[in-house]
Amino acid sequence: MAVLAKHGFQNILERAKLGKFILEKFSTEEHVEKYSVQERLRMSFEELGPTFIKLGQLLATRPDLIPSSFAHEFKQLHDNVHAEKFEEIEKIIQNHFPKASDIFLSIDEKPLAAASIAQVHAARLRDGTDVVLKIRRPKILKKIKEDLNILYFLANLIETSIPELRVYNPKIIVDEFFKTMELETNFLIEANNILRFRRNFANDPSIKIPQVYLDYCSEEILVMEMIKGIRLSQPQALKQDGVDPAQIAKKGMKTFFKMVFQDKFFHGDLHAGNIFIMPNNQLGIVDFGVVGRLSLKTRDSIANMFVALAQEDYEALAEEFAELSQNYDPVNTEKFARDLRDLIAPYFGLTFKNINTGKLLMDSASLAARYQIQLPAELMLFFKSIVTVEGMGREIVEDFDVLSQTLEIASEIIKAKYDPQRVVKDLAVVLKDSATLLKDLPKQLQNNFRKRNLKPQQVTISEFKDLEKAIHRFGVMVFLGLVISSLIIAAVLFFKP
């Protein structure tokens, strides 16, 4: 509370009935008047430590949950932590490996990297294999748990005491953050992610995913193969003999789109520090703590969004956003489409290579928030990822064109939606739901009449709303079943040799 007060937020704290926790010596510092509200909140998060920095980094990717000005400011938040003393790290290693000398020839005391949750050390197995150890910081879980309790407490107070801030759904933000932290602090989950990526790219020798030594892993230690290359974030990475920057950019985008559109399982933090450039234009990828999992529906919607964007079909784009919304309140898609047109249209007339596709999608998501459209977390993670990947591509190749490359893949996905095999599969789901509904309908009728007999009174239409909905749903499903059946028959007749 004192940190927030120091940065000029005592009014909010007082409205949330937290004024009694503010000590006079921590009153607002004079210099905060020079900074905007967004800057002061970012500074507060930096001072509050790792958990709040992580929260800010998450919010930076969610302009659908908070005002875009705050999301933009939070992009400046970076882990700025000191490495733990090796004596503390060694205690964790010894606790996990009572006979570490039987497994490792050596473990470097100086870390390769240090972040808020973990730090990484180079090591060598007894067979001479070079590996890296990702080790969770001591007592970090206790710290995160304490901070999350504070966040839940604050979110509840804000929702009850400051009505105008309820629109930002503080509790939902904290819930999502809790799930993210739960996944990122469990290295067994990351190990499993690595195994899945290795399977997905097993037949592509141009992509190197590190081997993970699952027998040596736990929730607090991850042991994996060391990738030997140069990080893309280092200037000399693209200056190696035999490395073609254009091929690297093309391969990187192809790899990302395979993750998204084919595997529906993608790397959620694919920045230049997590990509290694190796001989023969081979790419090595590391850090799999943040991943995105797409449903078939979300994957198809992403493809539709790219096509709508390229065709300037703002109505279709608005419909896709509304269809994915996790808030079931009605959306004025006509007005939303007009606002999307006002946002995006000024960029058209430019060539695709001059359009920042990822930023347009992020800005569209921010606009969607004004219509109370709550988008799935995995969609926002994709938007954030495409912004990062597009930015990397343009740093490598100046005229890098994301949208035209995406359209080819998106068009194939849209065509696949009308493949007879998929239509039949979708029809089977509709018919199954219809059969279940038909089976349950007599029971619903019987229950309603039993209620009427047990307690005779005037019957009103409103009391049959559930039944009415069930009958309507059944009718819609039967109608859809007939339409889809007709389409299948027509397709078979049309394509009959």
Side-chain angles (χ1 to χ4, degrees):
M1 310 304 168
V3 171
L4 292 171
K6 186 176 77 172
H7 290 286
F9 295 105
Q10 61 275 66
N11 289 340
I12 293 177
L13 295 172
E14 287 166 359
R15 286 192 63 189
K17 301 180 176 63
L18 292 171
K20 62 185 178 181
F21 294 103
I22 304 172
L23 303 178
E24 187 175 350
K25 66 177 180 179
F26 288 113
S27 59
T28 305
E29 294 185 355
E30 293 181 4
H31 74 274
V32 301
E33 296 179 1
K34 299 186 297 185
Y35 301 101
S36 66
V37 173
Q38 294 87 341
E39 289 173 318
R40 286 188 278 123
L41 190 57
R42 188 254 304 161
M43 292 161 66
S44 298
F45 279 19
E46 287 174 339
E47 191 168 341
L48 287 166
T51 309
F52 286 83
I53 289 174
K54 282 288 182 184
L55 173 62
Q57 290 171 341
L58 169 68
L59 292 175
T61 69
R62 297 305 304 265
D64 61 318
L65 294 181
I66 63 172
S68 57
S69 59
F70 283 87
H72 179 75
E73 182 64 31
F74 288 153
K75 288 178 182 177
Q76 299 184 46
L77 283 167
H78 298 287
D79 292 333
N80 185 20
V81 295
H82 298 291
E84 294 282 349
K85 292 181 179 179
F86 186 71
E87 291 77 16
E88 296 299 319
I89 294 297
E90 193 173 29
K91 289 177 185 177
I92 298 174
I93 295 173
Q94 292 294 343
N95 183 57
H96 184 67
F97 301 108
K99 296 183 178 180
S101 59
D102 291 345
I103 300 171
F104 302 102
L105 279 175
S106 63
I107 300 175
D108 287 353
E109 294 188 11
K110 184 179 179 181
L112 293 172
S116 56
I117 291 176
Q119 61 188 54
V120 178
H121 289 259
R124 180 165 291 173
L125 299 178
R126 296 293 301 182
D127 64 3
T129 303
D130 290 323
V131 296
V132 294
L133 305 183
K134 186 175 181 179
I135 304 160
R136 196 168 65 196
R137 285 178 174 270
K139 301 179 182 177
I140 188 65
L141 287 187
K142 182 175 182 292
K143 172 65 175 170
I144 289 172
K145 184 177 180 180
E146 290 171 351
D147 289 343
L148 281 170
N149 286 334
I150 293 172
L151 286 170
Y152 273 115
F153 175 67
L154 288 173
N156 187 60
L157 277 177
I158 287 171
E159 288 201 357
T160 55
S161 305
I162 311 177
E164 61 267 32
L165 293 182
R166 289 176 194 160
V167 68
Y168 299 119
N169 300 300
K171 288 182 181 177
I172 291 177
I173 290 174
V174 178
D175 281 337
E176 184 174 320
F177 180 56
F178 170 76
K179 293 173 186 175
T180 300
M181 294 302 288
E182 196 173 34
L183 294 175
E184 283 196 57
T185 54
N186 187 339
F187 295 157
L188 280 177
I189 293 175
E190 182 171 353
N192 191 48
N193 291 340
I194 297 172
L195 290 173
R196 182 167 174 180
F197 277 109
R198 280 180 63 83
R199 287 195 298 270
N200 290 346
F201 286 93
N203 297 322
D204 188 349
S206 68
I207 302 300
K208 176 68 175 177
I209 308 294
Q211 180 180 348
V212 60
Y213 297 87
L214 198 57
D215 291 342
Y216 300 151
C217 296
S218 70
E219 290 187 7
E220 60 182 354
I221 292 184
L222 177 66
V223 183
M224 59 185 171
E225 175 187 6
M226 180 179 287
I227 298 291
K228 295 182 178 179
I230 301 177
R231 291 182 189 271
L232 183 56
S233 56
Q234 298 177 346
Q236 62 270 36
L238 297 172
K239 297 177 181 178
Q240 301 177 76
D241 291 338
V243 170
D244 180 351
Q247 284 297 316
I248 291 293
K250 185 176 180 180
K251 191 184 298 289
M253 184 56 69
K254 181 181 178 182
T255 299
F256 180 67
F257 284 151
K258 177 188 181 302
M259 293 177 185
V260 172
F261 292 117
Q262 183 175 324
D263 304 330
K264 301 186 292 293
F265 182 74
F266 64 94
H267 194 298
D269 197 20
L270 205 58
H271 58 73
N274 287 335
I275 298 176
F276 286 82
I277 307 301
M278 305 163 74
N280 300 317
N281 294 318
Q282 189 180 27
L283 298 183
I285 304 174
V286 299
D287 197 356
F288 301 89
V290 180
V291 298
R293 295 172 174 83
L294 297 175
S295 66
L296 188 62
K297 177 182 176 181
T298 305
R299 192 279 308 267
D300 289 351
S301 287
I302 289 171
N304 291 336
M305 284 178 181
F306 277 110
V307 172
L309 199 60
Q311 296 178 347
E312 298 186 71
D313 189 345
Y314 306 112
E315 290 77 12
L317 188 58
E319 290 289 350
E320 290 298 331
F321 275 110
E323 183 68 24
L324 286 174
S325 177
Q326 296 175 317
N327 181 352
Y328 297 106
D329 294 337
V331 177
N332 186 342
T333 52
E334 289 185 11
K335 188 173 185 305
F336 182 29
R338 289 197 297 272
D339 287 345
L340 283 171
R341 180 195 60 207
D342 293 342
L343 171 70
I344 299 170
Y347 294 93
F348 280 88
L350 300 173
T351 57
F352 284 162
K353 68 182 180 182
N354 291 317
I355 297 175
N356 193 325
T357 311
K359 184 178 183 301
L360 286 181
L361 289 172
M362 272 292 201
D363 290 345
S364 299
S366 181
L367 179 61
R370 300 181 201 171
Y371 289 85
Q372 302 301 305
I373 294 175
Q374 295 177 9
L375 297 172
E378 63 269 18
L379 181 67
M380 294 308 303
L381 183 60
F382 167 75
F383 285 173
K384 175 251 184 185
S385 298
I386 198 70
V387 168
T388 305
V389 170
E390 187 173 27
M392 277 194 301
R394 286 183 175 164
E395 284 186 11
I396 298 171
V397 179
E398 188 175 347
D399 60 351
F400 188 68
D401 179 358
V402 170
L403 191 53
S404 63
Q405 292 188 46
T406 313
L407 287 176
E408 183 178 346
I409 301 170
S411 299
E412 290 300 318
I413 288 171
I414 292 171
K415 287 179 186 177
K417 287 176 66 176
Y418 303 101
D419 179 78
Q421 288 186 345
R422 178 165 173 186
V423 172
V424 171
K425 184 178 178 181
D426 290 343
L427 176 61
V429 173
V430 172
L431 294 178
K432 181 182 176 182
D433 287 346
S434 300
T436 302
L437 191 60
L438 184 61
K439 180 181 176 182
D440 291 342
L441 192 58
K443 189 181 294 183
Q444 291 188 35
L445 283 168
Q446 187 180 33
N447 288 338
N448 275 282
F449 284 123
R450 184 181 291 117
K451 289 178 184 178
R452 300 267 54 90
N453 291 332
L454 289 174
K455 191 176 180 180
Q457 60 185 35
Q458 185 179 2
V459 177
T460 61
I461 296 299
S462 62
E463 292 174 356
F464 280 87
K465 281 185 177 178
D466 290 342
L467 178 60
E468 181 185 359
K469 288 178 182 177
I471 293 172
H472 176 70
R473 185 178 171 213
F474 173 68
V476 169
M477 286 189 171
V478 170
F479 173 73
L480 286 174
L482 290 172
V483 170
I484 295 172
S485 300
S486 301
L487 287 173
I488 293 173
I489 293 169
V492 170
L493 292 173
F494 183 79
F495 292 108
K496 186 176 179 181

